[in-house]
Coordinates of all heavy atoms in Angstrom, one line a residue:
M116 N 85.7 79.2 69.5 CA 86.2 79.6 70.8 C 85.0 79.9 71.7 O 84.0 80.5 71.4 CB 87.0 80.9 70.6 CG 87.5 81.5 71.9 SD 88.5 82.9 71.5 CE 89.2 83.2 73.1
I117 N 85.0 79.3 72.9 CA 84.0 79.5 73.9 C 84.4 80.6 74.9 O 85.5 80.5 75.5 CB 83.7 78.2 74.6 CG1 83.3 77.1 73.6 CG2 82.7 78.4 75.7 CD1 83.1 75.7 74.3
N118 N 83.5 81.5 75.1 CA 83.8 82.6 76.0 C 83.1 82.3 77.3 O 81.8 82.2 77.4 CB 83.2 83.9 75.4 CG 83.6 85.1 76.3 OD1 84.4 85.0 77.3 ND2 83.0 86.3 76.0
T119 N 83.8 82.0 78.3 CA 83.2 81.7 79.6 C 83.7 82.8 80.7 O 84.8 83.2 80.6 CB 83.6 80.3 80.1 OG1 85.1 80.3 80.3 CG2 83.2 79.3 79.2
T120 N 82.8 83.2 81.5 CA 83.1 84.1 82.6 C 82.6 83.4 83.8 O 81.5 82.8 83.9 CB 82.5 85.5 82.4 OG1 81.1 85.3 82.3 CG2 83.1 86.2 81.2
Q121 N 83.4 83.5 84.9 CA 83.0 82.9 86.1 C 82.5 84.0 87.0 O 83.1 85.0 87.2 CB 84.2 82.3 86.8 CG 84.1 80.8 87.0 CD 85.3 80.2 87.7 OE1 86.2 80.9 88.0 NE2 85.3 79.0 87.9
T122 N 81.3 83.8 87.6 CA 80.8 84.7 88.6 C 80.9 84.0 89.9 O 80.3 82.9 90.1 CB 79.3 85.1 88.3 OG1 79.3 85.6 87.0 CG2 78.8 86.0 89.3
I123 N 81.5 84.6 90.9 CA 81.6 84.1 92.2 C 80.7 84.9 93.1 O 80.9 86.1 93.3 CB 83.1 84.1 92.7 CG1 84.0 83.3 91.8 CG2 83.1 83.6 94.2 CD1 85.4 83.4 92.1
E124 N 79.7 84.2 93.6 CA 78.8 84.9 94.6 C 79.3 84.6 96.0 O 79.6 83.5 96.3 CB 77.4 84.4 94.4 CG 76.8 84.8 93.0 CD 75.3 84.5 93.0 OE1 74.6 84.6 94.0 OE2 74.9 84.2 91.8
R125 N 79.3 85.7 96.7 CA 79.7 85.6 98.1 C 78.5 85.9 99.0 O 77.8 86.9 98.7 CB 80.9 86.5 98.4 CG 82.1 86.1 97.6 CD 83.2 87.1 97.6 NE 83.2 88.0 98.7 CZ 83.6 89.3 98.6 NH1 84.0 89.8 97.5 NH2 83.6 90.1 99.6
N126 N 78.3 85.1 100.0 CA 77.2 85.4 100.9 C 77.7 86.2 102.1 O 78.9 86.5 102.2 CB 76.5 84.1 101.3 CG 77.5 83.2 102.1 OD1 78.3 83.7 102.9 ND2 77.3 81.9 102.0
K127 N 76.7 86.6 102.9 CA 77.0 87.5 104.0 C 78.0 86.9 105.0 O 78.8 87.6 105.6 CB 75.8 87.9 104.7 CG 74.9 88.9 103.9 CD 73.7 89.3 104.7 CE 72.6 88.5 104.1 NZ 71.3 88.8 104.6
L128 N 77.9 85.5 105.2 CA 78.9 84.9 106.1 C 80.3 85.0 105.6 O 81.2 85.3 106.4 CB 78.5 83.4 106.2 CG 77.1 83.1 106.8 CD1 76.8 81.6 106.7 CD2 77.1 83.5 108.3
D129 N 80.5 84.8 104.3 CA 81.8 85.0 103.7 C 82.3 86.4 103.8 O 83.5 86.6 104.2 CB 81.8 84.6 102.2 CG 81.5 83.1 101.9 OD1 81.7 82.3 102.8 OD2 81.0 82.8 100.8
I130 N 81.5 87.3 103.5 CA 81.9 88.7 103.6 C 82.2 89.1 105.0 O 83.2 89.8 105.3 CB 80.8 89.7 103.0 CG1 80.6 89.3 101.5 CG2 81.2 91.1 103.2 CD1 79.4 90.0 100.9
A131 N 81.4 88.7 106.0 CA 81.7 89.0 107.4 C 83.0 88.4 107.8 O 83.8 89.0 108.6 CB 80.6 88.5 108.3
L132 N 83.3 87.2 107.3 CA 84.6 86.6 107.6 C 85.8 87.4 107.1 O 86.8 87.6 107.7 CB 84.6 85.1 107.1 CG 85.9 84.4 107.4 CD1 86.2 84.3 108.9 CD2 85.8 83.0 106.7
E133 N 85.6 87.8 105.8 CA 86.7 88.6 105.2 C 86.9 90.0 105.9 O 88.0 90.4 106.1 CB 86.3 88.9 103.7 CG 86.4 87.7 102.9 CD 86.0 87.9 101.4 OE1 86.0 89.1 101.0 OE2 85.7 86.9 100.8
L134 N 85.8 90.6 106.3 CA 85.9 91.8 107.1 C 86.6 91.6 108.4 O 87.4 92.4 108.9 CB 84.5 92.5 107.3 CG 83.9 93.0 106.0 CD1 82.4 93.4 106.2 CD2 84.7 94.2 105.5
T135 N 86.2 90.5 109.1 CA 86.9 90.1 110.3 C 88.4 89.9 110.2 O 89.2 90.4 111.0 CB 86.2 88.9 110.9 OG1 84.8 89.1 111.1 CG2 86.9 88.5 112.3
Q136 N 88.8 89.3 109.1 CA 90.2 89.1 108.8 C 90.9 90.4 108.6 O 92.0 90.6 109.1 CB 90.4 88.1 107.6 CG 90.0 86.7 107.9 CD 89.9 85.8 106.7 OE1 89.7 86.3 105.6 NE2 90.1 84.5 106.9
L137 N 90.3 91.3 107.8 CA 90.8 92.6 107.6 C 91.0 93.4 108.9 O 92.0 94.1 109.1 CB 90.0 93.4 106.6 CG 90.0 92.9 105.1 CD1 89.0 93.7 104.3 CD2 91.4 93.2 104.6
H138 N 90.0 93.3 109.7 CA 90.0 94.0 111.0 C 91.1 93.4 111.9 O 91.9 94.2 112.5 CB 88.6 93.7 111.7 CG 88.5 94.4 113.1 ND1 87.8 95.5 113.2 CD2 89.1 94.0 114.3 CE1 87.9 95.9 114.5 NE2 88.6 95.0 115.2
L139 N 91.3 92.1 111.9 CA 92.4 91.5 112.7 C 93.8 91.8 112.1 O 94.7 91.8 112.9 CB 92.2 90.0 112.9 CG 90.9 89.7 113.7 CD1 90.7 88.1 113.6 CD2 91.0 90.2 115.1
N140 N 93.9 92.1 110.8 CA 95.1 92.4 110.2 C 95.6 93.8 110.7 O 96.7 94.1 110.8 CB 95.1 92.4 108.7 CG 95.1 91.0 108.2 OD1 95.5 90.1 108.8 ND2 94.6 90.9 107.0
R141 N 94.6 94.6 111.0 CA 94.9 96.0 111.4 C 94.9 96.2 113.0 O 95.7 96.9 113.5 CB 93.8 97.0 110.8 CG 94.1 98.4 111.2 CD 93.5 99.3 110.3 NE 93.9 100.7 110.7 CZ 94.0 101.7 109.9 NH1 93.7 101.6 108.7 NH2 94.3 102.9 110.4
Y142 N 94.0 95.5 113.6 CA 93.9 95.6 115.1 C 94.1 94.3 115.7 O 93.7 93.3 115.2 CB 92.5 96.2 115.5 CG 92.2 97.5 114.8 CD1 91.3 97.4 113.7 CD2 92.7 98.7 115.1 CE1 90.9 98.6 113.1 CE2 92.4 99.8 114.5 CZ 91.5 99.8 113.5 OH 91.1 101.0 112.8
E143 N 94.6 94.3 116.9 CA 94.8 93.0 117.6 C 93.5 92.7 118.4 O 92.8 93.5 118.9 CB 96.0 93.1 118.6 CG 97.3 93.1 118.0 CD 98.4 93.1 119.0 OE1 98.2 92.6 120.1 OE2 99.5 93.6 118.7
A144 N 93.3 91.4 118.6 CA 92.2 90.9 119.4 C 92.9 90.4 120.7 O 93.8 89.6 120.7 CB 91.5 89.8 118.8
N145 N 92.6 91.0 121.8 CA 93.2 90.7 123.1 C 92.7 89.4 123.8 O 93.3 88.9 124.6 CB 93.1 91.9 124.1 CG 93.8 93.1 123.5 OD1 94.9 93.0 122.9 ND2 93.3 94.3 123.8
H146 N 91.5 89.0 123.4 CA 90.9 87.8 124.0 C 90.1 87.1 122.9 O 89.6 87.7 122.0 CB 89.9 88.3 125.1 CG 89.4 87.3 126.0 ND1 88.4 86.5 125.7 CD2 89.9 86.8 127.2 CE1 88.2 85.6 126.7 NE2 89.1 85.8 127.6
P147 N 90.2 85.7 123.0 CA 89.5 84.9 122.0 C 88.0 85.3 121.8 O 87.4 85.2 120.7 CB 89.6 83.5 122.5 CG 90.8 83.5 123.4 CD 90.9 84.9 124.0
D148 N 87.3 85.7 122.9 CA 85.9 86.1 122.8 C 85.7 87.3 121.9 O 84.6 87.5 121.3 CB 85.3 86.4 124.2 CG 85.2 85.1 125.0 OD1 85.2 84.0 124.4 OD2 85.1 85.3 126.2
Q149 N 86.7 88.1 121.7 CA 86.6 89.3 120.9 C 86.4 88.9 119.4 O 85.8 89.6 118.7 CB 87.9 90.2 121.0 CG 87.9 91.0 122.2 CD 89.1 91.9 122.2 OE1 90.2 91.5 122.0 NE2 88.9 93.2 122.5
L150 N 87.0 87.8 119.0 CA 86.9 87.3 117.6 C 85.4 87.1 117.2 O 85.0 87.6 116.2 CB 87.7 86.0 117.4 CG 87.7 85.4 116.0 CD1 88.3 86.4 115.0 CD2 88.4 84.1 116.0
S151 N 84.7 86.4 118.1 CA 83.3 86.2 117.8 C 82.5 87.5 117.8 O 81.5 87.7 117.1 CB 82.6 85.1 118.7 OG 82.7 85.5 120.0
E152 N 82.8 88.4 118.7 CA 82.1 89.7 118.8 C 82.4 90.5 117.6 O 81.5 91.1 117.0 CB 82.6 90.4 120.1 CG 81.9 91.7 120.3 CD 82.4 92.4 121.6 OE1 82.6 91.7 122.6 OE2 82.6 93.6 121.6
I153 N 83.6 90.5 117.1 CA 84.0 91.3 115.9 C 83.2 90.7 114.7 O 82.6 91.5 113.9 CB 85.5 91.3 115.7 CG1 86.2 92.0 116.8 CG2 85.9 91.8 114.3 CD1 87.7 91.8 116.8
Y154 N 83.2 89.4 114.6 CA 82.5 88.8 113.5 C 81.0 89.1 113.5 O 80.4 89.4 112.5 CB 82.7 87.3 113.5 CG 82.0 86.5 112.4 CD1 82.5 86.4 111.1 CD2 80.7 86.0 112.6 CE1 81.9 85.8 110.1 CE2 80.0 85.4 111.6 CZ 80.6 85.2 110.4 OH 79.9 84.6 109.4
A155 N 80.4 89.0 114.7 CA 79.0 89.3 114.9 C 78.7 90.7 114.5 O 77.6 90.9 113.9 CB 78.6 89.0 116.3
K156 N 79.5 91.6 114.8 CA 79.2 93.0 114.5 C 79.3 93.3 113.0 O 78.4 94.0 112.4 CB 80.3 94.0 115.2 CG 80.0 94.1 116.7 CD 81.1 95.0 117.3 CE 80.8 95.1 118.8 NZ 81.8 96.0 119.4
Y157 N 80.2 92.6 112.3 CA 80.3 92.8 110.8 C 79.1 92.1 110.2 O 78.5 92.6 109.2 CB 81.6 92.3 110.3 CG 82.7 93.2 110.5 CD1 83.9 92.9 111.2 CD2 82.7 94.5 109.9 CE1 84.9 93.8 111.4 CE2 83.7 95.4 110.1 CZ 84.8 95.1 110.8 OH 85.8 96.0 111.0
Y158 N 78.7 90.9 110.7 CA 77.6 90.2 110.1 C 76.3 91.1 110.3 O 75.5 91.2 109.4 CB 77.4 88.8 110.7 CG 76.3 88.1 110.0 CD1 76.6 87.4 108.8 CD2 75.0 88.0 110.5 CE1 75.6 86.7 108.2 CE2 74.0 87.3 109.9 CZ 74.3 86.7 108.7 OH 73.3 86.0 108.0
A159 N 76.1 91.6 111.5 CA 75.0 92.5 111.8 C 74.9 93.7 110.9 O 73.9 94.1 110.4 CB 75.0 92.9 113.3
L160 N 76.1 94.3 110.7 CA 76.1 95.4 109.7 C 75.7 95.0 108.3 O 74.9 95.7 107.7 CB 77.6 96.0 109.7 CG 77.9 97.1 108.7 CD1 77.0 98.3 109.0 CD2 79.3 97.4 108.6
L161 N 76.1 93.8 107.9 CA 75.7 93.4 106.6 C 74.2 93.1 106.5 O 73.6 93.4 105.5 CB 76.5 92.1 106.2 CG 78.0 92.3 106.0 CD1 78.7 91.0 105.9 CD2 78.2 93.1 104.7
E162 N 73.6 92.6 107.6 CA 72.2 92.4 107.6 C 71.4 93.7 107.5 O 70.5 93.8 106.7 CB 71.8 91.7 108.9 CG 72.1 90.2 109.0 CD 71.2 89.4 108.0 OE1 70.1 89.8 107.7 OE2 71.7 88.3 107.6
V163 N 71.9 94.7 108.2 CA 71.3 96.0 108.1 C 71.4 96.6 106.7 O 70.4 97.2 106.1 CB 71.8 97.0 109.2 CG1 71.4 98.4 109.0 CG2 71.5 96.5 110.6
L164 N 72.6 96.5 106.1 CA 72.8 97.1 104.8 C 71.9 96.3 103.8 O 71.5 97.0 102.8 CB 74.3 96.9 104.4 CG 75.3 97.8 105.2 CD1 76.7 97.5 104.8 CD2 75.0 99.3 105.0
D165 N 71.7 95.1 104.0 CA 71.0 94.3 103.0 C 69.5 94.7 103.0 O 68.9 94.6 101.9 CB 71.0 92.8 103.4 CG 70.5 91.9 102.3 OD1 70.7 92.2 101.1 OD2 70.0 90.8 102.7
V166 N 69.0 95.2 104.1 CA 67.5 95.6 104.1 C 67.3 97.1 104.0 O 66.2 97.5 104.0 CB 66.8 95.0 105.3 CG1 66.8 93.5 105.4 CG2 67.4 95.6 106.6
S167 N 68.4 97.8 103.9 CA 68.3 99.3 103.8 C 68.2 99.7 102.3 O 68.8 99.1 101.4 CB 69.5 99.9 104.4 OG 69.6 99.6 105.8
S168 N 67.5 100.7 102.1 CA 67.4 101.3 100.7 C 68.6 102.2 100.5 O 69.3 102.6 101.4 CB 66.1 102.1 100.6 OG 66.2 103.3 101.3
S169 N 68.8 102.5 99.2 CA 70.0 103.3 98.9 C 69.8 104.7 99.5 O 70.7 105.4 99.9 CB 70.2 103.4 97.4 OG 69.0 103.9 96.7
D170 N 68.5 105.2 99.5 CA 68.2 106.5 100.1 C 68.6 106.5 101.6 O 69.2 107.5 102.1 CB 66.8 106.9 100.0 CG 66.4 107.2 98.5 OD1 67.3 107.6 97.8 OD2 65.2 107.1 98.2
Q171 N 68.3 105.4 102.3 CA 68.6 105.4 103.7 C 70.1 105.4 103.9 O 70.6 106.0 104.8 CB 68.0 104.1 104.4 CG 66.5 104.1 104.5 CD 66.0 102.8 104.9 OE1 66.4 101.7 104.4 NE2 65.1 102.8 105.9
L172 N 70.8 104.7 103.0 CA 72.3 104.6 103.2 C 72.9 106.0 102.8 O 73.9 106.4 103.4 CB 72.8 103.5 102.3 CG 72.4 102.1 102.6 CD1 72.9 101.1 101.6 CD2 72.8 101.7 104.0
M173 N 72.3 106.7 101.9 CA 72.8 108.0 101.5 C 72.7 109.0 102.7 O 73.6 109.8 102.9 CB 72.1 108.6 100.3 CG 72.5 107.9 99.0 SD 74.2 108.2 98.5 CE 74.0 109.9 97.8
D174 N 71.7 108.8 103.5 CA 71.5 109.7 104.6 C 72.6 109.5 105.7 O 72.8 110.4 106.5 CB 70.1 109.4 105.3 CG 69.0 109.9 104.5 OD1 69.2 110.7 103.6 OD2 67.8 109.4 104.7
L175 N 73.3 108.4 105.6 CA 74.4 108.2 106.6 C 75.7 108.8 106.2 O 76.6 109.0 107.0 CB 74.6 106.6 106.7 CG 73.5 105.8 107.2 CD1 73.8 104.3 107.2 CD2 73.1 106.2 108.6
L176 N 75.8 109.3 104.9 CA 77.0 109.9 104.4 C 77.2 111.3 104.9 O 76.2 112.0 105.0 CB 77.1 109.8 102.9 CG 77.1 108.4 102.3 CD1 77.0 108.6 100.7 CD2 78.4 107.7 102.7
P177 N 78.4 111.8 105.1 CA 78.6 113.2 105.4 C 78.2 114.0 104.2 O 78.2 113.6 103.0 CB 80.1 113.3 105.6 CG 80.7 111.9 105.5 CD 79.6 111.0 105.1
D178 N 77.8 115.3 104.4 CA 77.3 116.2 103.4 C 78.3 116.4 102.3 O 78.0 116.5 101.1 CB 76.9 117.5 104.0 CG 75.6 117.4 104.8 OD1 74.8 116.5 104.6 OD2 75.4 118.3 105.7
E179 N 79.6 116.4 102.6 CA 80.7 116.7 101.6 C 80.7 115.5 100.6 O 80.8 115.7 99.4 CB 82.1 116.8 102.3 CG 82.2 117.9 103.3 CD 81.7 117.5 104.7 OE1 81.7 116.4 105.1 OE2 81.2 118.5 105.4
L180 N 80.5 114.3 101.1 CA 80.5 113.2 100.2 C 79.3 113.1 99.4 O 79.3 112.7 98.2 CB 80.7 111.9 101.0 CG 81.0 110.6 100.2 CD1 82.1 110.8 99.3 CD2 81.2 109.4 101.2
K181 N 78.1 113.5 100.0 CA 76.9 113.5 99.2 C 77.0 114.4 98.0 O 76.5 114.2 97.0 CB 75.7 113.9 100.1 CG 75.3 112.9 101.1 CD 74.1 113.5 102.0 CE 73.8 112.6 103.2 NZ 72.8 113.2 104.0
Q182 N 77.6 115.6 98.2 CA 77.8 116.6 97.2 C 78.6 116.0 96.0 O 78.3 116.3 94.9 CB 78.4 117.9 97.7 CG 77.4 118.6 98.6 CD 78.1 119.8 99.3 OE1 79.3 120.1 99.1 NE2 77.4 120.6 100.1
I183 N 79.6 115.3 96.3 CA 80.5 114.7 95.3 C 79.7 113.7 94.5 O 79.8 113.6 93.3 CB 81.7 114.0 96.0 CG1 82.6 115.1 96.6 CG2 82.5 113.2 94.9 CD1 83.7 114.5 97.4
L184 N 78.8 112.9 95.2 CA 78.1 111.8 94.5 C 76.9 112.3 93.7 O 76.4 111.6 92.8 CB 77.6 110.8 95.5 CG 78.7 110.0 96.2 CD1 78.1 109.2 97.3 CD2 79.5 109.2 95.2
D185 N 76.4 113.6 94.0 CA 75.3 114.1 93.2 C 75.6 114.5 91.8 O 76.5 114.7 91.3 CB 74.7 115.3 93.9 CG 73.8 114.9 95.1 OD1 73.4 113.8 95.2 OD2 73.7 115.8 96.0

């Protein structure tokens, strides 16, 4: 028997697209230009997260959540 597991790697473009779809499922876009703006914001967020250290990201959390994670 051969044990195979598939690993699917998603890049930032894919993730930004998924986040944009989730956003649009919850909120309406009133103008087509908003779609590219929403996507760009999520992609920019992913870029920042990619180059941030875990310590930098922890600093962004509220104190109550930091206490739970400690």
